[in-house]
């Protein structure tokens, strides 16, 4: 068993709560003194910093919403002088006025620390060549993994996104042993390797650290099989730090939250009420060690659950489930809540098509219509039309029985669905509601 920081990762629950409580009390005092937004909110609610003594008091604090970051754009929620800020990032997305996040040197160091924990949990050591194909720039993926890998002492290959042919050449020539990218790009790389006639078993690649978008267990199996590696999940969001809020260990059974830095809660998205462990709800994080942007009870809109049951890896850090959707990307089709990942699971479970799909939602004659375009595998494409229609009918049946609603299913020719080097676009919602 390898850990980056065994003392914290395997601390007793009492110790973890003690660390988190001390850090929480200090942070609440800092934001009260330095961020007018929090001082006003706490004054309105009649809460003084000294009222918050331990993690048990967390629920008394106000939430922070993405809208609050927009309203205080760009630096209004920063809790330190701007002179102390050494880096700026922003959350991914194409709309302008995306939340802007800042880091002091101490924040950069703590970010490298939490990513180092994730890399070591995925089998990373000083000997590794870590191939980072997340985007570098305002997006936190590239630089986040980069600094974590350097902290471990591994050799980082900062390939960034794009130019898949070159990515493959680098993998072969430089001996990349750990791949870091979105899970959809990992599948695309696997496909490109196959096309280039390269057998993945001839590469040095042994594991991958994938995140930044939802993916399913079936997608993990597909990646592991097609690249011949172990695939680990990593979660995070810019507002909290970037990648490294939580990470998977070799048990691949939920992601350990770095709770000495980010205290997680799960709340009812409607009422904001804190839910018990095991229940699915909206993930909320409180940053208790950050200097520049210590957000309090930040509503992530990601849906997940928490468990404090012990993990076989020896880590005691609370685990979160895979985010199974967002409160805001959840599709409601004919009154039924649908997560794109559910459709993906159906497709991958059936295994008769390529793992590339696009969901198009539309409204025709006041009725919602969901169309699922799926790429045929090369072998299915060369089959007779009767066989293709049979597969379409089976997918339609399975989607209906899993989701409880019908969908039009259309198999399309290989390589006709646009590939992504970053986050895959899985849904086009044409409805104007
Ligand atoms: O995606 C940070 C990141 C980079 C995480 C690289 C992991 C790897 P944002 O652009 O702010 O930050 O997007 C954050 O992406 O609220 C989730 O909805 C989603 N997300 C991130 N990781 C996962 C994951 C980065 N492992 C938003 N599984 C989050 C599912 C994820 N969704």
């Amino acid at each position: 068993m390898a850990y980056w920081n065994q003392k914290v990762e395997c601390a007793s629950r009492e110790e973890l709560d003690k660390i988190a409580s001390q850090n929480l009390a200090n942070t609440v005092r800092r934001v009260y003194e330095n961020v007018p937004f929090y001082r006003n909110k706490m004054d309105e609610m009649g809460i003084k910093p000294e009222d918050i003594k331990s993690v048990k008091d967390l629920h008394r604090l106000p939430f922070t919403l993405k809208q609050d970051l927009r309203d205080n754009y760009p630096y209004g929620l920063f809790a330190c002088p701007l002179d102390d800020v050494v880096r700026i990032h922003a959350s991914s997305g194409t709309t302008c006025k995306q939340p802007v996040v800042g880091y002091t040197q101490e924040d950069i160091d703590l970010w490298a620390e939490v990513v180092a924990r994730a890399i070591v949990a995925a089998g990373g050591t000083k000997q590794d060549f870590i191939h980072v194909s997340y985007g570098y720039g305002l997006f936190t993926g590239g630089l986040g993994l980069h600094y974590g890998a350097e902290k471990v002492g591994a050799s980082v290959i900062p390939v960034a996104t794009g130019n898949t042919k070159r990515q493959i050449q680098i993998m072969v020539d430089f001996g990349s042993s750990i791949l870091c990218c979105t899970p959809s790009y990992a599948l695309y790389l696997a496909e490109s390797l196959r096309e280039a006639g390269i057998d993945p078993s001839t590469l040095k690649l042994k594991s991958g650290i994938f995140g930044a978008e939802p993916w399913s267990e079936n997608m993990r199996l597909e990646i592991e099989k097609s690249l011949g590696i172990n695939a680990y999940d990593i979660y995070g969001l810019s507002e909290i730090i970037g990648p490294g809020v939580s990470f998977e260990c070799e048990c691949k059974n939920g992601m350990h939250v770095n709770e000495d830095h980010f205290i997680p809660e799960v709340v009812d998205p409607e009422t904001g009420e804190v839910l018990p462990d095991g229940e699915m709800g909206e993930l909320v994080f409180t940053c208790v060690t950050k200097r520049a942007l210590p957000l309090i009870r930040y509503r992530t809109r990601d849906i997940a659950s928490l468990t404090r049951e012990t993990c076989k890896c020896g880590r005691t850090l609370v685990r979160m489930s895979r985010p199974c959707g967002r409160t805001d990307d959840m599709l409601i089709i004919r009154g039924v809540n649908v997560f794109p990942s559910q459709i993906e699971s159906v497709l991958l479970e059936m295994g008769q098509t390529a793992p590339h799909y696009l969901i198009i939602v539309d409204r025709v004659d006041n009725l919602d219509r969901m169309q699922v375009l799926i790429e045929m595998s090369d072998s299915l494409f060369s089959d007779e039309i009767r066989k293709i229609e049979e597969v379409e009918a089976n997918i339609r049946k399975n989607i209906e029985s899993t989701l409880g609603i019908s969908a039009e299913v259309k198999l399309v020719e290989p390589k006709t669905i646009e590939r992504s080097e970053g986050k895959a676009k899985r849904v086009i919602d044409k409805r104007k509601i």
Side-chain angles (χ1 to χ4, degrees), residues 66 109 194 213 304:
K66 201 175 203 134
D109 295 344
R194 208 164 38 238
E213 64 181 4

Side-chain angles (χ1 to χ4, degrees), residues 91-92 134 139-141 145 210-215 233-239 242-243 255 300 302 323 326 423:
S91 65
S92 61
Y134 286 114
F139 177 56
T140 52
L145 267 298
F210 306 121
E213 64 181 4
W215 53 311
D233 204 348
I234 185 166
Y235 167 87
L237 61 163
S238 339
E239 297 91 316
M255 289 181 270
T300 64
D302 290 318
R326 289 178 59 85
K423 302 191 186 210

Side-chain angles (χ1 to χ4, degrees), residues 272-307:
E273 185 199 331
V274 179
L275 297 175
D277 283 359
E279 275 191 40
M280 282 282 183
E282 182 176 347
L283 268 174
V284 171
F285 288 101
T286 299
C287 303
V288 289
T289 48
K290 269 174 71 194
R291 306 298 300 173
L293 188 63
L295 295 182
I296 304 291
R297 302 195 83 201
Y298 184 68
R299 305 274 301 246
T300 64
R301 302 194 160 206
D302 290 318
I303 307 279
S305 63
L306 296 174
T307 174

Side-chain angles (χ1 to χ4, degrees), residues 4 44 59 82 88 100 116-117 124 151 164 167 174-175 226 229 245 250-251 260 267 299 319 324 371 416 425 429 433:
W4 174 252
E44 267 168 37
H59 69 278
L82 287 179
I88 296 289
V100 172
R117 293 181 193 174
K151 181 120 190 159
T164 304
Q167 301 255 1
F174 296 7
S226 59
I229 60 171
V245 172
E250 70 269 22
C251 301
D260 48 329
V267 305
R299 305 274 301 246
R319 276 171 294 153
C324 70
Q371 206 185 21
T416 44
K425 184 157 177 57
D429 197 339
I433 297 172

